[in-house]
Amino acid sequence: MEQLGKELLLDLYHTMVRIRAFESRVRDLAMANEIPGFVHVSIGEEASATGVCAAMRPTDRITSTHRGHGHLIAKGGRVAQMMAEIYGKRTGYCKGKGGSMHIVDFSLGILGANGIVGAGLPIATGSALAAVIAGRDDVTACFFGDGASNEGTFHESLNLAAVWKLPVVFVCENNGFGEFTPMQTVTSVQDIAVRAKAYDIPGLIVDGNDVVEVYRNASEAIARARAGEGPTLLECKTYRWEGHVVGEQAFLGTGAYRSEQEVEEWKKRCPLIRFEKFAAESGKISAQELKKIREETEAELEAAVKFARESPLPDPSEVTDDVYQ
Amino acid sequence: MEQLGKELLLDLYHTMVRIRAFESRVRDLAMANEIPGFVHVSIGEEASATGVCAAMRPTDRITSTHRGHGHLIAKGGRVAQMMAEIYGKRTGYCKGKGGSMHIVDFSLGILGANGIVGAGLPIATGSALAAVIAGRDDVTACFFGDGASNEGTFHESLNLAAVWKLPVVFVCENNGFGEFTPMQTVTSVQDIAVRAKAYDIPGLIVDGNDVVEVYRNASEAIARARAGEGPTLLECKTYRWEGHVVGEQAFLGTGAYRSEQEVEEWKKRCPLIRFEKFAAESGKISAQELKKIREETEAELEAAVKFARESPLPDPSEVTDDVYQ
Amino acid sequence: MALTNFVQAINQALFEEMERDPLTFVMGEDVVLSAFGATKGLIDKFGPKRVRNTPIAEAGFVGAAVGAAMAGTRPICEVEFASFFYCAFDQVCNQAAKLRYMSGGQARLPLTFRCVFGAMGGAAAQHSETVYAQFLSVPGLKIAVPSGPADVKGLLKSAIRDDNPVIVFEHGALGRLREEIPAGDYLVPLGKAAVKRPGDNVTVVAIGAMVPKALKVADKLAKENVSVEVVDPRTLIPLDEETILASVEKTNRAVVADEGHLRGGAATDLAAMIAEKGFDFLDGPVRRVTSLDVPIPFSPPLEKAAIADEARIEAAIRELVGRR
Amino acid sequence: MALTNFVQAINQALFEEMERDPLTFVMGEDVVLSAFGATKGLIDKFGPKRVRNTPIAEAGFVGAAVGAAMAGTRPICEVEFASFFYCAFDQVCNQAAKLRYMSGGQARLPLTFRCVFGAMGGAAAQHSETVYAQFLSVPGLKIAVPSGPADVKGLLKSAIRDDNPVIVFEHGALGRLREEIPAGDYLVPLGKAAVKRPGDNVTVVAIGAMVPKALKVADKLAKENVSVEVVDPRTLIPLDEETILASVEKTNRAVVADEGHLRGGAATDLAAMIAEKGFDFLDGPVRRVTSLDVPIPFSPPLEKAAIADEARIEAAIRELVGRR
Ligand SMILES: Cc1ncc(C[n+]2csc(CCOP(=O)(O)OP(=O)(O)O)c2C)c(N)n1
Ligand SMILES: Cc1ncc(C[n+]2csc(CCOP(=O)(O)OP(=O)(O)O)c2C)c(N)n1
Ligand SMILES: [Mg+2]
Ligand SMILES: [Mg+2]
């Protein structure tokens, strides 16, 4: 931890706090039926998105998933426009056409969340191919889940990226579940990273709740990619505190597919609390500094929700815009 | 070799000879434009189909590929009906509706050749699942190529078969090419068998031109499957003597993607000649016995071609039959 | 007699058919806990051998269902949302649909697919699509689009017993629709349309969730003495052309209403059939009421603008009866 | 001026457009050696960076083309046979087609797909299909079906320059068809139909390989003073309804000929449009000439029986002009 500068450390914390605050709001607003459609939150998984994106350049790109708010925020996504999109407002990132599962910010290299599990892997592979074709040195990071690692697109993408030595990092956020199905009941390996052997590429397992470890490993993988040494499969072990979809308790009840106790165990490994401990031990960062970040973020989110609420809905006439260029 | 009974050894040889004879005929007839459509022959690869199917029971099942004649013959397919199908005759296995790429014989557990690369893997997996559902102890063998191992269906099928411990053996016939593309230029591993690690199942590499070695390894894999111990990935290293598709020289010329010398090298490893040597060394089998088999087979093929030629074409009115049950 | 909702009706059909035939089994993503409730409770009665959560691998498990059907069982395979079929199109269109024909009739495919489809409020483009249009041009498949609890129960039971691949499309917005279902072993044959409401002035051929909408419009217009006949094809393949054409012969006017898109859609398919085979019956063009040809947007006002609704059905009817 | 065949025309278009824009590149199975010849020689001129053999992994490389398009390049992605698209339907239908809309217009997808399709003699069901019907109902895609060398060159060049996903369907039986191609940078706009032969008595809207067949029939019937106008839409999306309807307004009779299937097919789509928007022009029903609704069989006599041909076009025309 020492090697990392204070500014970076504070950024890592700020990003995690922002994700946590954003997702907590979204969860509550969805429970209050203020938000249409399904929302998937990544509370408890903030460190992987944060650590990976902190190791990237603004000109680098990411692909995300149905559980993408954290990835987008970590890559610089503006919470007000994200919130407005989730509200279906015209001021949202996609003018209300996409919603929670489809937020995109091309200016930040965010190629998009995606409603189709595993769809991001070929897209990220192609994004990396584009860098090679165009002679640029940008790198693409691809976020996906343990469940997605059983999709054929995982296999086809990793093989393609490996044979073409493409500048892409495949980041598997293994949170132990695909919807309500425990990972081990549908996945033939304990560690997704083992599957890197099938493509003769590096496969790393990291503690996905340790933002610094994620950052360090992601930095190496990204450096390899940028140097033309090809893809890496980076598995971040983590856990989803909330339901697969906000509100699932309504039709599943609680404890339907995992014990309260298991959830509580993981909450003890909260990436934010963990970072706060590190910070304290490091002596470099004061509790006040962290508190300030939390307070600023609360205000930022307050403003984002206000912006979203007060923004206009799209006009029905806009429905036919944006199908074609 | 000693452990294997003489009858079995003669059967192995007979099957390989039959495949070679059948495919040589088909190649010549296709070159003579006596056969419509594309034909893919497996000359030089006879040992893998033969060794695997010899280790199976009549009630076991296989799925095959676009290069399937050998698999079908090895599982007991009748050459006359196969030839008639390839000619598009009503007396063919599919009444002329399928052709070379779609021959099926349900009575023999042959679920079919397939024109779609990688399509047989999920089907074979489901065939194995059916045995579990129905409480039967039959096993399914799935033939596919090195190229198919890059399809997503490979990944999804092996994972599914592994988590459900299904009675299926995945037989990869690695002949070094997918169409005109050398395997190593599009495949991230040297040995497809390595990919078994991604599913935590056994992965074996065998000399695909040694019918006895194939038979031994397949027998073990099939025994494991039947015992409920799950799938195996069995890679048979072999080589395709002929073009990807009969007649490709017409548009590619020769030596377009591999050297004549490489082909000649592999012809020295001919599975039939090799078996003949073994037989001679074993002392158990006389040259006469082998000669007799070859002669009988020639006569059998002569009759098959005659049958196919003399059989009637389907009547146009049959075109609407068999779409639905 | 008790009212049953759409999802309960599906659940009943599954219990009854799995009870009836030990070679049936259910597979799909999260069928054990069942997000929508259709497969709820099956696990307790039939156990893990016959109720299987699959990995998220549509090509793999849909293809496995095809293989299992060919190898002597009767799979009931759930694809959570219709648009996930796109991940398994080869298995459905090149394999399930063609294997029987390509094998000269040897392959038997007693295979049922179930999926939820349609706009259900803010699910956005990848979870709101009406995908059956893409299967209409794939000979070898059968396609059922039930519009209510009784039909979904009867059609699903027939689909499960059918020896061909059948896809049952369950509209996500119908989940809570309730009605009485005839007691006993209730079957609705595949290929038989239903006249959901008799009328004389105009025929509305409505598909799936458009049926209740069309009935609402019919009620409203009845007060103005416009008599609307609502015909529900119930299955798109096989299609009961006779019942549809008989209605048009009587009314001389036809509207086809479907939630899918216009270009290449089911409404267009039925309209072309009516316009060609019913040409001499028609006093005016067959009007197609469909959703707009845009991906289904997320924001409620945009979604509403995109999706076919009562207002558009009503307008089409008024335009036709208003002609000359 | 020299005659150019269909495949040479494709090859010319690729050379010219890759020459023109360094961000274009070709990817697909065996594009280096090129079984059909369309990409022949590109490797020598543009090298392995821009001419890439892919693994046999359609979802992977088609999806990669989508990602590459979004990340600032202009991919030209070959899918050997149209029916292999089934292995990549999600990437085409859920991703390429929807990403621009779902992103509120942010995503730009300068992306061209090429594929061979259609019955070419004994290729059987999995290699003979006409797959564009399955894309008609997927807003966000453009679909071109050229009927000859000049059109395929001009349409493919326009497709490559277009900033939307365009699929160009190249009929395998047209490969050796030869004609003159205008010199220079020859472009055919997407969305502009062509009247391939003017006539007064009946309009035949013919798609792809049906165009030369329709022209043959027109020649034959001209001798009997039946004057047939042959209209080639050239692109199915966008569709030039104006040119088609103008022709029907003149002839009052329409036949739509397509090699695809009847149910949910392109002929059905165009027929429904003509029957609805051209209702007042029509003296008779719009006749649809399509292949039978069966998987395409292998055996030549069966394939011939399944596929739409001159005889069926002729019969449809005679029936229409024979009416009253
Ligand atoms: C192709 C496809 N299949 C199924 C779904 C339904 N679905 C949405 S999220 C999800 C679970 C994904 O699990 P994982 O990849 O581990 O991501 P996580 O939700 O755990 O973050 C499923 C099955 C989908 N959206 N797309
Ligand atoms: C899904 C799909 N993609 C591409 C093709 C075209 N194709 C037919 S055979 C073949 C090569 C297959 O290679 P491999 O699996 O190694 O089998 P082999 O031909 O070497 O026996 C290809 C690309 C196809 N039939 N299906
Ligand atoms: Mg997960
Ligand atoms: Mg091979």
Side-chain angles (χ1 to χ4, degrees):
Chain A
M1 183 139 172
E2 280 50 39
Q3 303 94 299
L4 304 189
K6 177 169 179 175
E7 201 177 323
L8 171 62
L9 290 172
L10 288 175
D11 280 350
L12 292 173
Y13 185 68
H14 198 152
T15 300
M16 291 197 293
V17 168
R18 190 180 274 123
I19 295 170
R20 176 71 56 93
F22 185 89
E23 299 243 81
S24 306
R25 289 280 185 152
V26 168
R27 176 201 52 207
D28 299 344
L29 293 163
M31 290 304 285
N33 293 319
E34 242 191 79
I35 288 173
F38 323 115
V39 264
H40 310 87
V41 297
S42 66
I43 295 174
E45 309 179 29
E46 297 85 356
S48 53
T50 302
V52 169
C53 292
M56 303 188 84
R57 298 177 183 169
T59 49
D60 291 336
R61 290 179 297 282
I62 64 166
T63 62
S64 176
T65 69
H66 57 285
R67 201 177 303 287
H69 306 148
H71 310 136
L72 277 51
I73 289 172
K75 192 66 172 64
R78 287 182 231 81
V79 291
Q81 278 151 268
M82 285 176 64
M83 193 64 79
E85 184 59 34
I86 292 173
Y87 268 81
K89 298 301 182 77
R90 176 196 268 141
T91 56
Y93 262 120
C94 312
K95 308 178 195 166
K97 291 197 168 87
S100 167
M101 281 192 288
H102 304 292
I103 300 177
V104 170
D105 184 341
F106 267 54
S107 69
L108 296 170
I110 298 167
L111 298 186
N114 207 305
I116 299 299
V117 170
L121 287 107
I123 291 172
T125 302
S127 167
L129 172 60
V132 173
I133 297 288
R136 304 181 313 237
D137 75 343
D138 48 61
V139 171
T140 303
C142 172
F143 292 97
F144 61 98
D146 48 286
S149 79
N150 293 325
E151 284 277 11
T153 51
F154 168 90
H155 180 64
E156 298 187 10
S157 301
L158 270 71
N159 181 62
L160 190 62
V163 290
W164 287 351
K165 283 199 165 304
L166 298 177
V168 53
V169 180
F170 295 101
V171 183
C172 181
E173 293 175 307
N174 184 346
N175 61 9
F177 296 89
E179 286 187 353
F180 324 120
T181 301
M183 175 247 188
Q184 59 276 15
T185 64
V186 289
T187 312
S188 50
V189 287
Q190 288 302 315
D191 302 311
I192 305 303
V194 168
R195 292 181 165 172
K197 293 202 178 80
Y199 314 103
D200 195 20
I201 62 173
L204 312 172
I205 301 173
V206 309
D207 179 339
N209 286 14
D210 180 339
V211 70
V212 172
E213 192 184 337
V214 172
Y215 173 81
R216 286 228 181 81
N217 286 277
S219 300
E220 285 170 23
I222 289 166
R224 262 198 306 279
R226 216 182 294 283
E229 292 162 29
T232 299
L233 174 57
L234 180 66
E235 177 180 11
C236 301
K237 304 273 195 188
T238 183
Y239 194 83
R240 159 164 69 71
W241 292 8
E242 300 289 326
H244 161 65
V245 58
V246 173
E248 74 184 24
Q249 292 79 358
F251 52 88
L252 290 182
T254 49
Y257 58 94
R258 58 184 188 179
S259 69
E260 282 308 302
Q261 179 202 347
E262 180 179 295
V263 178
E264 290 314 312
E265 277 309 312
W266 274 93
K267 285 187 176 174
K268 297 200 186 105
R269 309 196 215 158
C270 171
L272 279 74
I273 293 174
R274 178 154 181 175
F275 183 94
E276 289 158 12
K277 285 213 196 75
F278 285 150
E281 288 156 9
S282 77
K284 276 204 255 174
I285 301 168
S286 72
Q288 280 60 27
E289 292 173 295
L290 300 183
K291 186 154 176 293
K292 183 156 165 299
I293 285 174
R294 291 195 297 273
E295 287 164 357
E296 285 172 10
T297 306
E298 274 314 312
E300 184 187 17
L301 263 297
E302 201 52 51
V305 172
K306 188 166 184 298
F307 173 76
R309 284 186 173 140
E310 294 173 357
S311 290
L313 285 163
D315 185 85
S317 66
E318 296 167 33
V319 68
T320 49
D321 302 342
D322 302 320
V323 181
Y324 294 97
Q325 193 85 30
Chain B
M1 180 139 171
E2 280 51 37
Q3 304 94 301
L4 305 188
K6 176 168 180 174
E7 201 176 327
L8 170 61
L9 291 172
L10 289 175
D11 280 350
L12 291 173
Y13 185 68
H14 200 152
T15 300
M16 292 198 292
V17 168
R18 188 179 275 124
I19 295 170
R20 175 72 56 94
F22 185 88
E23 299 251 75
S24 307
R25 289 280 185 152
V26 168
R27 175 201 54 208
D28 299 343
L29 293 163
M31 290 304 285
N33 293 318
E34 244 191 76
I35 288 172
F38 323 117
V39 260
H40 310 87
V41 297
S42 66
I43 295 174
E45 307 180 32
E46 296 85 355
S48 54
T50 302
V52 170
C53 292
M56 304 188 83
R57 299 177 183 169
T59 50
D60 292 336
R61 290 178 298 281
I62 65 166
T63 62
S64 176
T65 69
H66 57 284
R67 200 176 304 286
H69 306 149
H71 310 137
L72 277 49
I73 290 171
K75 192 66 171 65
R78 287 182 231 81
V79 291
Q81 278 151 269
M82 286 176 63
M83 193 63 80
E85 185 58 34
I86 292 174
Y87 268 80
K89 298 300 182 78
R90 178 197 267 139
T91 55
Y93 262 121
C94 311
K95 308 178 194 166
K97 290 195 168 89
S100 167
M101 280 193 287
H102 304 291
I103 299 177
V104 170
D105 184 341
F106 267 54
S107 69
L108 296 170
I110 298 167
L111 298 186
N114 207 305
I116 299 299
V117 170
L121 287 106
I123 292 172
T125 303
S127 166
L129 172 60
V132 173
I133 297 287
R136 304 182 312 239
D137 75 344
D138 49 63
V139 171
T140 303
C142 173
F143 292 97
F144 61 98
D146 48 287
S149 79
N150 292 324
E151 284 277 11
T153 51
F154 168 90
H155 180 64
E156 298 187 10
S157 301
L158 270 68
N159 181 63
L160 189 62
V163 290
W164 287 351
K165 283 200 164 303
L166 298 177
V168 54
V169 180
F170 296 101
V171 181
C172 181
E173 294 176 307
N174 184 346
N175 61 10
F177 296 88
E179 286 187 354
F180 325 120
T181 301
M183 176 249 187
Q184 59 276 13
T185 64
V186 289
T187 312
S188 50
V189 286
Q190 287 302 315
D191 302 311
I192 305 303
V194 168
R195 293 181 165 173
K197 292 201 180 80
Y199 314 103
D200 195 19
I201 61 172
L204 313 173
I205 300 173
V206 309
D207 178 340
N209 286 14
D210 180 340
V211 69
V212 172
E213 192 185 336
V214 172
Y215 173 81
R216 285 225 180 83
N217 285 277
S219 300
E220 285 170 22
I222 290 166
R224 262 199 305 279
R226 215 181 296 282
E229 291 161 31
T232 299
L233 175 56
L234 180 65
E235 177 180 11
C236 301
K237 305 273 193 186
T238 183
Y239 194 84
R240 158 165 68 71
W241 293 8
E242 299 290 325
H244 161 65
V245 59
V246 174
E248 74 184 26
Q249 292 79 358
F251 53 88
L252 289 182
T254 50
Y257 58 94
R258 58 184 188 179
S259 69
E260 282 308 302
Q261 178 201 347
E262 180 179 294
V263 179
E264 289 314 312
E265 277 309 312
W266 274 93
K267 286 187 177 175
K268 296 200 188 106
R269 307 197 218 159
C270 171
L272 280 74
I273 293 173
R274 178 152 181 177
F275 183 93
E276 289 157 12
K277 285 213 197 74
F278 286 148
E281 288 155 10
S282 78
K284 275 203 257 173
I285 301 169
S286 72
Q288 280 60 27
E289 291 173 296
L290 300 184
K291 185 153 175 293
K292 184 156 165 297
I293 286 173
R294 291 195 298 272
E295 287 165 355
E296 283 171 12
T297 308
E298 274 314 311
E300 184 187 15
L301 263 298
E302 200 53 52
V305 173
K306 187 165 185 298
F307 173 76
R309 284 186 173 142
E310 295 174 357
S311 290
L313 285 164
D315 185 87
S317 67
E318 296 167 31
V319 68
T320 50
D321 302 341
D322 303 321
V323 181
Y324 294 98
Q325 193 84 28
Chain C
M1 191 178 169
L3 295 179
T4 308
N5 77 27
F6 196 78
V7 171
Q8 291 163 337
I10 297 164
N11 192 251
Q12 283 180 13
L14 294 173
F15 266 96
E16 291 174 14
E17 293 306 303
M18 285 184 76
E19 180 78 3
R20 182 171 179 274
D21 182 350
L23 290 174
T24 56
F25 66 99
V26 165
M27 66 193 294
E29 289 157 9
D30 282 302
V31 291
V32 169
L33 277 177
S34 189
F36 296 107
T39 55
K40 250 196 177 40
L42 294 174
I43 186 75
D44 307 316
K45 177 147 199 194
F46 301 104
K49 196 175 102 176
R50 293 178 63 197
V51 182
R52 295 176 171 261
N53 279 354
T54 62
I56 309 169
E58 289 73 14
F61 74 76
V62 167
V66 174
M70 285 203 289
T73 59
R74 194 170 287 274
I76 305 164
C77 181
E78 173 175 315
V79 172
E80 255 188 335
F81 282 83
S83 32
F84 308 160
F85 264 119
Y86 285 132
C87 301
F89 251 56
D90 180 71
Q91 289 65 38
V92 177
C93 303
N94 266 334
Q95 311 302 327
K98 295 183 171 71
L99 281 163
R100 177 173 163 73
Y101 190 80
M102 293 190 300
S103 65
Q106 288 181 71
R108 214 170 113 273
L109 286 129
L111 175 57
T112 302
F113 293 109
R114 297 179 39 248
C115 65
V116 167
F117 80 101
M120 48 207 94
Q126 291 174 336
H127 288 73
S128 304
E129 203 171 353
T130 296
V131 180
Y132 42 72
Q134 287 80 337
F135 292 118
L136 282 179
S137 226
V138 182
L141 303 176
K142 294 185 180 182
I143 297 173
V145 191
S147 62
D151 279 349
V152 77
K153 180 174 180 180
L155 289 167
L156 178 55
K157 282 165 66 76
S158 296
I160 292 168
R161 296 187 198 182
D162 196 279
D163 282 341
N164 300 284
V166 184
I167 311 179
V168 180
F169 285 84
E170 305 163 359
H171 197 294
L174 294 176
R176 282 182 197 68
L177 187 71
R178 306 169 80 232
E179 73 182 1
E180 277 192 7
I181 299 181
D185 189 25
Y186 183 64
L187 293 167
V188 173
L190 306 177
K192 192 84 206 65
V195 176
K196 295 289 185 180
R197 176 194 174 108
D200 304 317
N201 304 139
V202 57
T203 298
V204 176
V205 181
I207 300 169
M210 300 305 284
V211 172
K213 294 183 182 182
L215 290 170
K216 274 212 207 75
V217 173
D219 286 339
K220 178 178 175 187
L221 293 178
K223 303 191 186 69
E224 305 176 23
N225 300 316
V226 177
S227 165
V228 177
E229 178 149 302
V230 177
V231 179
D232 176 356
R234 298 200 290 199
T235 59
L236 296 175
I237 304 178
L239 180 65
D240 182 356
E241 300 189 349
E242 213 175 288
T243 301
I244 294 168
L245 290 169
S247 175
V248 176
E249 181 166 18
K250 177 177 65 176
T251 63
N252 308 124
R253 298 182 185 86
V255 172
V256 185
D258 178 44
E259 193 182 291
H261 298 299
L262 181 72
R263 293 299 312 280
T268 289
D269 179 68
L270 299 187
M273 184 279 290
I274 295 167
E276 183 171 5
K277 301 189 177 172
F279 184 78
D280 298 328
F281 308 149
L282 290 167
D283 289 347
V286 180
R287 289 293 176 211
R288 295 171 289 169
V289 173
T290 69
S291 296
L292 302 182
D293 282 345
V294 304
I296 307 307
F298 163 71
S299 186
L302 294 178
E303 183 182 290
K304 189 178 179 322
I307 297 296
D309 61 7
E310 286 90 340
R312 289 181 210 171
I313 297 172
E314 183 180 335
I317 294 171
R318 289 188 185 281
E319 188 274 336
L320 279 183
V321 295
R323 280 196 150 226
R324 134 179 54 49
Chain D
M1 190 178 170
L3 295 178
T4 309
N5 77 28
F6 197 78
V7 171
Q8 291 164 339
I10 296 164
N11 192 252
Q12 282 180 14
L14 294 172
F15 266 96
E16 290 174 17
E17 294 306 303
M18 286 184 75
E19 179 79 2
R20 182 173 181 274
D21 181 351
L23 290 175
T24 55
F25 65 100
V26 164
M27 68 194 289
E29 290 156 9
D30 282 301
V31 292
V32 169
L33 277 178
S34 190
F36 295 107
T39 55
K40 251 200 177 37
L42 294 173
I43 186 76
D44 306 317
K45 177 147 200 193
F46 302 104
K49 197 174 100 176
R50 293 177 65 195
V51 182
R52 294 175 171 263
N53 279 355
T54 62
I56 309 169
E58 288 75 14
F61 73 76
V62 167
V66 174
M70 286 203 289
T73 59
R74 193 170 287 274
I76 305 165
C77 180
E78 173 175 317
V79 172
E80 257 188 336
F81 282 83
S83 33
F84 308 160
F85 264 117
Y86 284 131
C87 301
F89 251 54
D90 181 72
Q91 288 65 38
V92 177
C93 302
N94 266 334
Q95 310 303 327
K98 295 183 171 72
L99 282 163
R100 177 172 163 75
Y101 190 81
M102 295 190 298
S103 65
Q106 289 181 70
R108 212 170 114 275
L109 286 129
L111 176 57
T112 303
F113 293 109
R114 296 179 39 246
C115 65
V116 167
F117 79 101
M120 46 208 94
Q126 291 174 335
H127 288 73
S128 305
E129 204 171 352
T130 297
V131 179
Y132 43 71
Q134 286 81 335
F135 293 116
L136 282 177
S137 224
V138 182
L141 302 176
K142 294 186 180 182
I143 297 173
V145 190
S147 62
D151 280 349
V152 77
K153 180 175 181 181
L155 289 167
L156 178 55
K157 282 165 65 77
S158 296
I160 292 168
R161 295 186 198 184
D162 196 278
D163 282 341
N164 301 284
V166 184
I167 310 179
V168 180
F169 285 85
E170 305 162 0
H171 198 294
L174 293 177
R176 282 182 197 67
L177 187 72
R178 305 168 82 235
E179 73 183 1
E180 275 192 8
I181 299 179
D185 189 24
Y186 182 65
L187 293 167
V188 173
L190 305 178
K192 192 83 207 66
V195 176
K196 294 290 185 180
R197 176 194 176 110
D200 304 317
N201 304 137
V202 57
T203 298
V204 176
V205 180
I207 300 170
M210 299 306 284
V211 172
K213 293 183 182 182
L215 290 170
K216 273 213 207 78
V217 174
D219 285 339
K220 178 177 174 189
L221 293 178
K223 303 192 187 69
E224 306 175 21
N225 299 316
V226 177
S227 166
V228 177
E229 177 150 302
V230 178
V231 179
D232 176 356
R234 298 200 290 198
T235 59
L236 296 175
I237 304 177
L239 180 66
D240 182 355
E241 299 188 349
E242 214 175 286
T243 301
I244 294 168
L245 290 170
S247 175
V248 176
E249 181 168 18
K250 177 176 67 176
T251 63
N252 308 123
R253 298 183 186 85
V255 172
V256 185
D258 177 44
E259 193 181 292
H261 298 300
L262 182 72
R263 294 298 312 279
T268 289
D269 179 69
L270 299 188
M273 183 280 289
I274 295 168
E276 183 172 5
K277 301 188 177 174
F279 184 79
D280 297 329
F281 308 148
L282 290 169
D283 289 347
V286 181
R287 288 294 175 210
R288 296 171 288 169
V289 174
T290 69
S291 296
L292 302 182
D293 281 346
V294 303
I296 308 307
F298 163 72
S299 185
L302 294 178
E303 182 182 293
K304 187 176 180 321
I307 297 297
D309 60 7
E310 286 91 340
R312 288 181 211 173
I313 297 173
E314 183 180 335
I317 294 171
R318 288 188 186 282
E319 187 275 335
L320 279 183
V321 295
R323 280 196 150 226
R324 132 183 47 58

